[in-house]
């Protein structure tokens, strides 16, 4: 059996939701677009899973965070897809793809063919087993990538109330989950191999601010080491985490956030893969090495103007949203669609703190503001070899201040005296 569509989006996450909205805005006929997703629910704002979803009081639950509420747009419920004649094939995994025949084979045995395919398969969480540590399928070990993981995490947190959690990984998941666990009255020890949290983005100075804040909330840090094993009881539950440095940490639950891998598998050997950055290689129109196939979001490696159009893969929601909108424009209006001119934007919210980052965190760093108290605003500029500002970070800014640092990263002014830049701080961006 089989069905044929003009457009198929493979994957039903953030990018799929924003692409669907853009398709309807540009005008598609009923029955022309199909979205196939392994998840059993319509596209939703994944960032909510490590924030609002984990709140002890009045937590966010679907349908409240279906896309595209994260960008203050319409909320696309299953009814919306039906009314717009978009076929949502949910709870269905695509098992294989044939880009030459333009077909996808699903887990229900159906062959779905397309004229144009958008790959929006996102990424999967890396497992501890991939680093040689066994037992992460224990009932009180949690990963966090999708709604099912988040629901499970909530249940495990409830069973561990008043107890101890070990958080493995000092990246985004580690930081946001540690904050949520503390808010749920679970004491937290974070373990990670680097010298400070968020090593991919934060400077040691920025990291020290957040680490001090987390310490004030009772979070303990164990840095520069990794797990050696998980110790379990007769029920198969983890009771302790053993570290390579010999320490043993008793635990009622474990949360693991040790990075992701883009879901490229279906297309390996069929499309060009960016071996360096991971991901499916696309051009500035988000088109892959096959003319009928495009890729967006976490799975796509695209040319980034900021890097002189070298390819980069970004794992952030703003990129998923904007690349999705861009791809629909590329497909439906190729003549009038330019290159994807994207400025990287990352953000996070933990406890009552909130930060934003724009651009590239490469070059010399100039910190500004008051880092010694928990007041903010404070931040940093990154200055490249030509003396231009190419990146900016700000904690505790206002809407206008965040817009100002985004603008400065687009304009990339040349700065002279670094001490002057540090003392002018945020005012440099706001007045610029
Ligand atoms: P996804 O949203 O991951 O969607 C991919 C979809 O494809 C999934 O539904 C998946 O099930 C489906 N799929 C994959 N393979 C198949 C297959 N073979 N068949 C069928 N379906 C398939 N970014 C930020 O900038 N800020 C944040 O605060 C933030 N918070 C986050 C919190 C969490 C808990 C997580 C996990 C991520 C967060 N991110 C955040 C990252 C952001 O959510 C991702 O960058 C974004 O979701 C990427 O969108 P995507 O559509 O490319 O992939
Ligand atoms: P990450 O890349 O942010 O951090 C991975 C962390 O894993 C590293 O910082 C390191 O501390 C740790 N690590 C690496 N190898 C390890 C090992 N062998 N043992 C122990 N620790 C190890 O990835 P993540 O935190 O898992 O987040 C997953 C994805 O979700 C990322 O794409 C991230 O961008 C996304 N996310 C983003 C946000 C946000 O933007 N606010 C929030 C949540 C999740
Ligand atoms: O971008 C986001 C974010 O950080 C969330 O929590 O989207 C979600 C929505 O705001 C949830 O409604």
């Amino acid at each position: 059996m089989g069905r044929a569509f003009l457009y198929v989006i493979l994957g039903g996450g953030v990018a799929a939701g924003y692409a669907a909205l853009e398709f309807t805005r540009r005008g598609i006929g009923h029955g022309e677009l199909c979205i196939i997703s392994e998840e059993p629910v319509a596209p939703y704002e994944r960032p909510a899973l490590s924030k609002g979803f984990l709140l002890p009081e009045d937590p966010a639950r679907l349908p409240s965070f279906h896309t595209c509420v994260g960008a203050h747009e319409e909320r696309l419920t299953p009814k919306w897809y039906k009314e717009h004649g978009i076929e949502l094939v949910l709870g269905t995994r695509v098992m294989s793809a044939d880009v030459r025949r333009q077909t996808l084979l699903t887990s229900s045995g159906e062959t779905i063919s397309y004229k144009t395919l958008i790959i929006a398969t996102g990424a999967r969480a890396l497992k501890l087993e991939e680093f040689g540590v066994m037992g992460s399928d224990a009932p009180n070990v949690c990963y966090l990538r999708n709604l099912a993981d988040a629901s499970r995490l909530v249940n495990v947190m409830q069973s561990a109330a008043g107890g101890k959690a070990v958080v493995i990984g000092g990246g985004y998941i580690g930081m946001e989950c540690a904050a949520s666990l503390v808010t749920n009255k679970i004491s937290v020890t974070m373990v990670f191999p680097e010298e400070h949290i968020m090593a991919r983005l934060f400077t040691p100075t920025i990291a020290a601010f957040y680490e001090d804040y987390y310490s004030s909330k009772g979070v303990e840090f164990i840095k520069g080491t990794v797990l050696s094993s998980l110790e379990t009881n007769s029920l198969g539950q983890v009771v302790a985490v053993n570290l390579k440095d010999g320490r043993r940490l008793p635990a009622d639950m474990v949360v693991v956030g040790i990075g992701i891998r883009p879901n490229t598998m279906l297309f390996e050997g069929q499309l060009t893969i960016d071996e360096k950055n991971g991901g499916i290689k696309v051009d500035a129109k988000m088109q892959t090495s096959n003319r009928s196939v495009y890729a967006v979001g976490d799975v796509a490696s695209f040319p980034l103007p900021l890097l002189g159009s070298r390819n980069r893969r970004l794992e952030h929601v703003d990129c998923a949203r904007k690349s999705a909108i861009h791809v629909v424009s590329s497909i439906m209006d190729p003549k009038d669609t330019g290159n994807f001119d994207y400025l990287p934007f990352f953000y996070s919210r933990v406890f009552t703190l909130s930060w934003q980052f724009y651009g590239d965190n490469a070059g010399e760093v100039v910190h500004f503001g008051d880092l010694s108290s928990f007041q903010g605003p404070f931040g940093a500029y990154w200055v490249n070899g030509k003396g231009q500002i190419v990146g900016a970070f700000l904690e505790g800014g206002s809407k206008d201040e965040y817009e100002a640092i985004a603008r400065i990263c687009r304009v990339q002014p040349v700065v002279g005296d670094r001490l002057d830049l540090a003392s002018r701080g945020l005012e440099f961006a706001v007045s610029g």
Side-chain angles (χ1 to χ4, degrees):
M1 70 168 179
R3 283 182 285 176
F5 295 88
L6 192 49
Y7 311 111
V8 171
I9 303 175
L10 166 46
V14 171
Y18 282 77
L21 183 59
E22 188 63 17
F23 268 120
T24 62
R25 286 190 169 156
R26 287 176 177 269
I28 47 161
H30 280 224
E32 286 185 349
L33 172 62
C34 168
I35 298 175
I36 312 172
S37 181
E38 194 175 8
E39 291 193 75
V41 292
Y44 58 87
E45 301 287 357
R46 202 165 299 280
L49 299 182
S50 51
K51 304 176 189 67
F53 198 89
L54 303 181
L55 289 174
E57 309 268 319
D58 198 17
R61 290 290 178 267
L62 287 176
S64 77
F65 60 96
H66 280 300
T67 57
C68 301
V69 295
H72 310 291
E73 299 277 2
E74 249 176 290
R75 185 164 56 97
L76 315 185
T77 59
K79 186 163 162 263
W80 180 91
Y81 290 92
K82 208 175 172 113
E83 283 168 1
H84 288 80
I86 297 170
E87 191 68 30
L88 269 186
V89 181
L90 300 177
T92 304
R93 186 175 170 76
V94 169
M95 308 302 288
S96 65
D98 186 332
V99 299
R100 206 173 48 80
R101 291 178 194 275
Q102 302 187 197
T103 57
L104 305 170
L105 176 66
T106 74
S107 49
S108 63
E110 184 178 14
T111 297
I112 293 182
S113 55
Y114 59 83
K115 191 151 182 297
T116 301
L117 174 67
I118 300 174
I119 303 170
T121 46
R124 66 174 179 83
L126 279 169
K127 293 278 149 87
L128 284 174
E129 281 72 3
E130 293 169 73
F131 294 90
V133 175
M134 300 301 141
S136 78
D137 53 353
N140 57 343
V141 175
C142 302
Y143 291 89
L144 182 54
R145 182 70 202 177
N146 57 32
L147 187 67
D149 295 336
S151 303
R152 187 164 171 275
L153 175 55
V154 167
N155 289 338
V156 173
M157 272 198 306
Q158 282 163 359
S159 319
K164 289 183 198 312
V166 175
V167 172
I168 310 293
Y172 288 94
I173 291 286
M175 273 199 79
E176 293 186 5
C177 287
S180 296
L181 287 159
V182 169
T183 307
N184 281 277
K185 301 202 168 20
I186 294 172
S187 59
V188 174
T189 302
M190 289 183 75
V191 181
F192 48 85
E194 297 91 355
E195 282 174 17
H196 62 75
I197 51 166
M198 292 286 291
R200 286 209 292 170
L201 178 65
F202 288 2
T203 64
T205 306
I206 295 174
F209 169 88
Y210 292 98
E211 289 180 11
D212 286 351
Y213 189 93
Y214 274 51
S215 299
S216 78
K217 299 282 181 186
V219 175
E220 291 186 15
F221 293 96
I222 299 182
K223 306 174 187 181
T225 191
V226 290
L227 287 201
S228 59
S229 65
L230 295 169
E231 208 177 297
T232 48
N233 63 14
S234 58
L235 299 171
Q237 292 159 329
V238 171
V239 291
V241 164
N242 294 310
L243 304 183
K244 281 235 166 88
D245 70 4
R247 273 184 269 195
R248 178 182 181 276
L249 308 175
D252 299 295
M253 65 179 288
V254 177
V255 177
V256 185
I258 55 172
I260 60 172
R261 282 288 174 274
N263 289 319
T264 55
M265 216 158 63
L266 293 172
F267 299 96
E268 283 162 20
Q270 301 194 70
L271 300 175
T272 303
I273 302 292
D274 178 344
E275 302 295 347
K276 181 166 163 262
N277 297 300
I280 294 168
K281 194 168 182 183
V282 296
D283 63 14
K285 315 281 184 208
M286 314 311 288
Q287 194 169 34
T288 70
S289 51
N290 181 294
R291 292 183 57 78
S292 307
V293 185
Y294 295 74
V296 290
D298 279 11
V299 79
S301 160
F302 62 94
L304 199 56
L306 191 68
L307 300 181
S309 289
R310 284 196 309 280
N311 271 56
R312 175 72 76 82
R313 197 175 56 76
L314 296 176
E315 301 173 349
H316 292 274
V317 75
D318 180 67
C319 180
R321 292 169 181 156
K322 292 191 174 135
S323 61
I325 293 167
H326 191 81
V327 83
V328 175
S329 176
S330 293
I331 292 167
M332 295 190 74
D333 189 8
K335 284 211 184 76
D336 283 329
T337 302
N339 290 341
F340 185 41
D341 182 17
Y342 185 67
L343 176 72
F345 164 43
F346 315 151
Y347 69 87
S348 183
R349 299 190 300 273
V350 287
F351 297 112
T352 55
L353 302 175
S354 177
W355 59 260
Q356 295 192 7
F357 168 84
Y358 294 86
D360 190 20
N361 62 324
E364 189 187 338
V365 187
V366 178
H367 294 98
F368 60 83
D370 180 10
L371 281 135
S372 60
S373 70
F374 295 147
Q375 303 298 312
F378 77 86
Y381 297 113
W382 278 260
V383 182
N384 71 9
K386 296 180 194 156
Q388 294 167 290
I389 293 184
V390 290
F393 175 95
L394 180 62
E395 161 64 45
S398 66
K399 186 169 173 286
D400 288 350
E401 289 165 343
Y402 286 129
E403 280 170 10
I405 62 158
R407 197 169 48 242
I408 212 94
C409 292
R410 276 207 180 272
V411 176
Q412 301 190 342
V414 174
V415 291
D417 184 356
R418 309 294 195 260
L419 282 177
D420 181 52
L421 179 62
S423 74
R424 287 185 66 188
L426 190 51
E427 184 267 327
F428 181 84
V430 172
S431 66

